[in-house]
Amino acid sequence: MTHCPADDTTDDAALRRALLAWYRAHARSLPWRDDPTPYRVWLSEIMLQQTQVDTVRPYFERWLERFPTLQALAEAPTDDLLAAWSGLGYYRRAHNMQKCAQAVVQQHGGQLPADHAALLALPGIGRYTAGAIASIAFGLPHPVVDGNVARVFARLFALEGEPSTPAMQRTLWAIAERLLDRDAPGDFNQALMELGSQVCRPRNPACADCPLQLHCAAFASGRQSELPTPKRRAARHREIAAALLVRLEPAAASAPPRYLVARRSADLLEGLWSLPTVTLARAEGRERTPELDRELAATVSLGSTMRQRIAELAAQVLGERAPEADALRPLRPVEHGFTHLEYTLVPWLCSIRVADDVPTLEVALDPAVFSAWRLVTRQELTELGVPRMIARVFAQL
Ligand code: SF4
C-alpha cells in the first residue's frame, strides 16, 4: 500500500501547535493583516498574486483611499481604476476586481458574503481566494493552497511531482483540509503562507529557524533543495519593437508640450494608455541568450532600418504631419518580462512644432489595437492608467 500523506494524522496536533506558536511570535505586521476586513483581505490577496509585499503596500493604501468601499469600486470609471493599478502589472486583475465588486453590490448589498460557496460563485474568486477571505476575514474553517503553501507541504511530506498538476493539487488540498486548525483557521492559513515566504523560501530555506523542522521529511533526508519538483519552464517569446512618442511643442514657451497616447482595446494591456508601436523582430519560444539578441538585432539592423520602420509608422499615424526620418530621435530602450514574452521597446521621439497652445492633430491608428487616443500633458498623464514600461519611456524626457 502506498503512503498517502493526506491520511496521516499522527503528528498533526503537534505540527499545528508549533506552527501557530511560531506565527504568533513572528508574524509581520501588515496593513491587511492588522485590520482584516473582508474587502481588505480580498484586495490584498488579489494584489499579492504575482507581486511582492513591499511593492503592494503603497498601492493597497492608495487604492483604499480612492475606493473605500466595494460600492465605490463598482462605480469607478475605468481610467481611475487603471490609474490606481498602474505599475502593478497584470491589469486583468483590476478589471476582474471591478466585475466582482459590481456582482457583490447587486447580489449581496455591497458586502462580501460570509459564506465560502457564495464567495466562490463571484467572478474572479477561485478556491484559494475564497478560502483566504472565508478563513481570515470570517474565521470560517476553509483551507488555502497557494505557491508558498504548496512548497511547504511538498517539503514537509516529501511529495514528488509538480505542484500545479491535477494529482498534486488534489493531494495538497487534501493535506490542507486535514491539517487546518478549526479553531483558528485564519491564523493557521496565514502561518503556512508566512512560513513559506519567510522561512521555507524557494531557495535556501532557513531550516535552522523553522518551527516544523522536526516534522519535515525533506529536512530529514536533506532534500530541501530538490523539492518541490521544479516546473518545466514554458517556452518564452522574444520580441523587439519600436514605439512612436509624438510630442507637440507649442510655440509659446508657457504652453506645455503634449504627447500622443492611445488606449489599447485588447490584449494584456486592455484599457491602458500606451504608444503606437511596430514589431521589428520576434523569435518564438526560444530562450533569451546573447546569441539570440545578436541575431534579432542583426535582422533589425539597429541603425537605419529601424529609423525607416519608425518613419513609416509615423507616416501612417500622422499622415502629412509626419516629420522626415532624420528628425526622429531614439531614446534608451526599455525592457519588460511578461509571462510568456521578453520584450524590448525602443522609443523614438517625434517632435513637432505647432502654432496653437492647445494643438489638435489628425491621427490614424489601427482600430484592432487602439480604441481611442488623446493629446495629454505630462501632468494629465499621471491621471491615466499607463503600463510601467511606457512610464519608463516618459521618465527619460
Ligand atoms: Fe521548509 Fe526546512 Fe522547515 Fe522543512 S525544515 S519545512 S524544508 S524550512
Side-chain angles (χ1 to χ4, degrees), residues 54 96 112 345:
D54 287 342
N96 285 343
L112 282 158
L345 188 69

Side-chain angles (χ1 to χ4, degrees), residues 152 155-156 195 199-200 205-207 210 212-213 216 218-219 224:
V152 172
R155 289 173 175 163
L156 271 179
L195 188 80
V199 177
C200 195
C207 300
C210 179
L212 304 186
Q213 197 196 83
C216 182
F219 179 77
Q224 305 93 307

